[in-house]
Amino acid sequence: MASQDVLLKVENLTTSFKTDEDQITVLDDISFNLLHGESLGIVGESGCGKSVTALSIMRLLPKPAGQVEKGFITYKGDDILTLTTKQMHTIRGKKIAMIFQEPMTALNPVHRIGKQLGEIYQIHFPDMSEEDSRTAQIDILNKVGIPAPEKRLREYPHQLSGGMRQRVMIAMALSCKPDILIADEPTTALDVTTQNQILNLMRELQREIKMSIIFITHDLGVIAEMCDRVLVMYAGKIVEQASVNELFASPRHPYTKGLLDSIPRLDTPSKSRLEVIEGLVPNLKNIPKGCRFRTRCDFEIEQCGVTDPVVEAISEDSSRTVACIRWKELSK
Amino acid sequence: MSQDVLLKVDDLKMHYPIRGGVLFRQIANNYAVDGVSFEINRGETLGIVGESGCGKSTVAKAILRLYEPTAGAIEFDGKDIINMSKPDLREIRQDMQIIFQDPMESLNSRHTVGTILEEPFVIHGKGTRAERRKWVTDLLDKVGLQSDSVNRFPHEFSGGQRQRIGIARAIALKPKLLICDEPVSALDVSIQSQILNLLLDLQREMDLTLLFIAHDLAVVKHVSDRIAVMYLGKIVEMNDAESLYKNPVHPYTRALLSSIPVPDPERKKVHDVLTGEVPSPINPPDGCHFHARCPYAEQICTKQRPELTTTNSNPNWLVSCHLKENFIN
């Protein structure tokens, strides 16, 4: 981490979705900082709220169902949540960009790559000439490692392979040199060897552009390779926050421990039993009182069901947090 | 290893015709599976690993004759599957079952779990109504679901529970061979480990032979005794699971292993980045299928197709590479 400046600050963010019957709180009072130039990983299982965190920051929650109930998202002194739509246009895509899991659904199938890339320059740099825009497009495609970019500009998304499409998505996201890149499961749909290429590319580009990355994934291997710091989410809450080395070396929350123990690794003997987290993720409509993880936790005591565990800072600079009332005795 | 072979696949080929042009003639072939041979012993687990489009699922479906293979021989429990009549095939399918990646697509959403699990018994005319009900309850118990699930529909279950239903259906008739086609890739990490444990338990209890297909090498290694690595319709390397991981020889196996992100931030991140992409199986390259992406390719690799043969040191270790002896040790 080059400097300790906070680039994006999320405070007490609570987001809910309306359904026909009731309102479901999907993010419940989450707070974290994104520092300058760092890669922050968000890890958790389906439905834990990782993507909703990203969409809340981008103000892309599906309307009218999704709604930020309370909290602040401060980017360079401005609260993103109070900006007008017009002001948001100058930030979204230009300062904070996003790439998605499935590039085929994020790209428009009926427009050529060149048109979709050109659109970004049209919107964010309206004064740019057609020719300059074309040069910039070719440059950025070169940068993300797409061979013969002139030819690719005239092609449609279906003519590209999955890996190439994701490269195009990255090119689109980086074309304005954003401060923050939010990558939501960017390699989940790709094969391992392609994933490896894309992760390498992202690492190189981050070094070059010096942006901060929020890396959302369920794959702890990807987290270990890509991130400086990690947030672990469970059922709409951040249960633990730590530097990547600390998290893997000494996980404090029982959920993080369970998660780390349950992945099959190449160096464990074949056919051995895996550690499991019993049970299922609770339904967000029907969250257990107190700690949300307690129904699956091996260390549940009566107290766990009484109150929500507070997010406790457990390192001197308070960069490491855990939300478990028993973390101290369990880490002995 | 015992010599009691349950399944023997010999030079299996599955080519799909590509049609086109004005007269819709066959203009090319998709060589999805192009000469795959292996054996599985009773009680053993063979893992097949490879990236999308390498033909691993096609192999699975051809073994069950859900696809009609273009060429090759399949022998299951001493019987020839390829030339088997329909009624015989139905009979033998009791002994070979499959579970799929997405249980939502393979379970009939309009039937209750009870009906779904009873169907195998009904089709094969087993038991009375009351007996079948009892068996269904036993099955649910075996895969860790509550017995009141019988009256519920698949959509009422989570992904992991649905996969349990799929497994229950597959083991209903006590098969000898269970083919698992990407059984955990749609599941969350904490659920994935539950399902893998369940499969290992069932294998022990029921003496199952497994053919386990997945793209995730860590998962495959975890459940398998032996592993076959596929690339573009062919097996490129086959060895027992531990040795394959500790001593990979084929350059593709090595690239695959080193591409896997390791959940350990302390470990140095050295990756052999494999350049390029998997070529199309419609026009596979001449010579070794992998030569265009192989960092060690020599003249011979571009011209002559390597055979999958044993290495000098170990008869159970098969590698398809001209230069393999150079890479060993």
Side-chain angles (χ1 to χ4, degrees), chain A residues 30-42:
Chain A
I30 67 164
S31 303
F32 64 90
N33 292 334
L34 175 70
L35 307 178
H36 244 289
E38 81 167 336
S39 297
L40 177 70
I42 303 183

Side-chain angles (χ1 to χ4, degrees), chain A residues 92-282:
Chain A
R92 190 193 299 129
K94 194 169 183 184
K95 299 292 179 193
I96 308 178
M98 186 161 174
I99 50 180
F100 300 89
Q101 172 173 351
E102 194 19 91
M104 197 59 206
T105 50
L107 291 168
N108 189 330
V110 298
H111 290 308
R112 295 174 200 273
I113 301 296
K115 168 148 192 200
Q116 302 190 48
L117 261 174
E119 226 167 36
I120 302 168
Y121 296 100
Q122 262 172 34
I123 291 168
H124 293 296
F125 306 99
D127 302 333
M128 201 179 227
S129 73
E130 196 105 317
E131 225 162 277
D132 287 349
S133 160
R134 213 181 117 79
T135 325
Q137 288 168 33
I138 291 172
D139 271 359
I140 193 86
L141 288 185
N142 258 326
K143 195 171 252 174
V144 296
I146 292 185
E150 295 87 349
K151 190 172 147 252
R152 295 295 182 193
L153 286 176
R154 290 196 307 276
E155 290 186 346
Y156 290 95
H158 75 265
Q159 293 171 290
L160 306 179
S161 68
M164 282 298 158
R165 273 183 225 139
Q166 198 56 289
R167 283 174 198 265
V168 170
M169 283 300 295
I170 294 175
M172 291 173 84
L174 298 186
S175 48
C176 295
K177 295 205 171 57
D179 289 338
I180 301 172
L181 176 68
I182 302 178
D184 187 1
E185 303 266 9
T187 57
T188 308
L190 305 175
D191 277 320
V192 261
T193 55
T194 318
Q195 161 170 291
N196 191 10
Q197 294 173 358
I198 297 289
L199 294 181
N200 264 320
L201 173 72
M202 290 184 69
R203 223 175 280 144
E204 275 165 33
L205 292 172
Q206 183 184 23
R207 215 171 296 137
E208 204 179 311
I209 307 180
K210 297 201 175 46
M211 59 186 170
S212 305
I213 297 186
I214 298 180
F215 211 108
I216 297 172
T217 175
H218 68 279
D219 185 334
L220 285 156
V222 173
I223 290 276
E225 303 231 335
M226 296 297 291
C227 300
D228 305 315
R229 246 165 15 98
V230 191
L231 310 178
V232 183
M233 291 189 70
Y234 187 78
K237 288 261 190 204
I238 295 176
V239 295
E240 184 162 2
Q241 186 173 167
S243 77
V244 71
N245 288 337
E246 284 170 334
L247 189 89
F248 282 84
S250 56
R252 293 295 185 224
H253 197 283
Y255 177 62
T256 318
K257 276 184 210 161
L259 214 51
L260 284 170
D261 288 340
S262 65
I263 31 177
R265 293 166 197 254
L266 284 168
D267 50 8
T268 53
S270 304
K271 306 205 119 177
S272 55
R273 274 189 80 80
L274 289 164
E275 293 290 326
V276 296
I277 306 177
E278 297 293 348
L280 304 168
V281 179

Side-chain angles (χ1 to χ4, degrees), chain A residues 42-63:
Chain A
I42 303 183
V43 69
E45 299 179 280
S46 349
C48 73
K50 348 182 255 298
S51 295
V52 175
T53 307
L55 295 176
S56 302
I57 296 171
M58 294 296 278
R59 291 219 353 224
L60 286 175
L61 288 170
K63 295 280 172 193

Side-chain angles (χ1 to χ4, degrees), chain A residues 72-89:
Chain A
F72 308 95
I73 300 173
T74 323
Y75 166 71
K76 289 195 168 162
D78 293 327
D79 183 2
I80 285 185
L81 298 173
T82 60
L83 295 179
T84 62
T85 311
K86 219 174 196 171
Q87 286 170 314
M88 196 59 211
H89 282 318

